[in-house]
């Protein structure tokens, strides 16, 4: 059973997205669909992310804008291409490892080995122990984990990682209601996300 605060947060994020008119929203995912997705892709949605997708599934109904980085930024958990979904799921780790190959290193990983292959193995091991990030929209991710909610949304481009909202509802406002976001009081980053938060 989902935590009531997580349900409220997910539904509020859904309401804000629906009111933005930014995308088409189809009926939400069912418990059966969630069970299949989590088993197939080896993920666990956070409770607020699950409540958001249960309230309505955003889909990529509009043509991408010219020069857009992602043709289909919303992960289509119901009818999407399996390879594309796996690509989105691997995006954070793959892109951080690419930057590690070119010299990026976290102090918490200890001294960087001179051997590049060994450095990559250590970084891969450390990232494997980090919370799994679930794609939310394009290169915006929400940490997964059943029984969790209220995590900050991370925008990830290699090791250029920034907080894009202290929680899911604030993120939707920031990305899809920018004028409203500008009018709000300054927001805090929210709870730190282990490992990923070290790049902020």
């Amino acid at each position: 059973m989902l935590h009531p605060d997580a349900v409220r947060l997910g539904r509020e994020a859904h309401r804000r997205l629906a009111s933005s008119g930014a995308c088409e929203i189809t009926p939400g995912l069912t418990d059966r669909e969630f069970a299949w997705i989590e088993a197939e892709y080896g993920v666990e949605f956070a409770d607020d992310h699950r409540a958001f997708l249960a309230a309505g599934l955003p889909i990529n109904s509009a043509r991408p804008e010219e020069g857009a980085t992602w043709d289909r930024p919303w992960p289509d958990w119901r009818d999407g291409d399996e390879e594309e979904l796996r690509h989105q799921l691997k995006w954070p780790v793959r892109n951080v490892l690419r930057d590690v190959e070119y010299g990026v290193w976290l102090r918490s990983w200890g001294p960087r080995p001179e051997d590049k292959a060994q450095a990559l193995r250590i970084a891969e091991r450390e990232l494997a122990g980090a919370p799994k990030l679930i794609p939310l929209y394009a290169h915006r991710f929400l940490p997964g984990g059943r029984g969790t909610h209220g995590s900050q949304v991370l925008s990830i481009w290699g090791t250029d990682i920034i907080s894009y909202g202290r929680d899911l509802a604030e993120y939707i406002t920031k990305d899809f209601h920018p004028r409203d976001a500008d009018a709000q009081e300054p927001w805090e980053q929210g709870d730190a996300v282990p490992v990923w938060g070290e790049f902020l």
Side-chain angles (χ1 to χ4, degrees), residues 50-126:
R50 187 180 179 106
F52 173 72
L53 296 173
L57 180 67
I59 61 168
N60 304 294
S61 55
R63 285 184 157 185
E65 294 178 15
E66 189 174 333
T69 306
W70 296 75
D71 287 341
R72 291 181 291 278
W74 292 106
D76 187 348
W77 297 108
R78 179 176 286 129
D79 298 316
D81 178 76
E82 182 179 324
E83 189 175 320
E84 189 174 331
L85 286 168
R86 292 190 191 283
H87 170 79
Q88 285 180 291
L89 283 162
K90 291 176 183 175
W91 171 274
V93 170
R94 186 178 59 246
N95 280 269
V96 167
L97 290 177
R98 184 198 64 222
D99 283 4
V100 165
E101 194 171 355
Y102 290 101
V104 171
W105 194 255
L106 289 178
R107 284 188 190 151
S108 64
W109 295 347
R112 182 186 170 99
E114 289 186 25
D115 179 64
K116 190 186 291 186
Q118 187 180 357
L120 283 168
R121 282 194 297 275
I122 291 170
E124 194 167 5
R125 182 189 69 221
E126 294 291 335

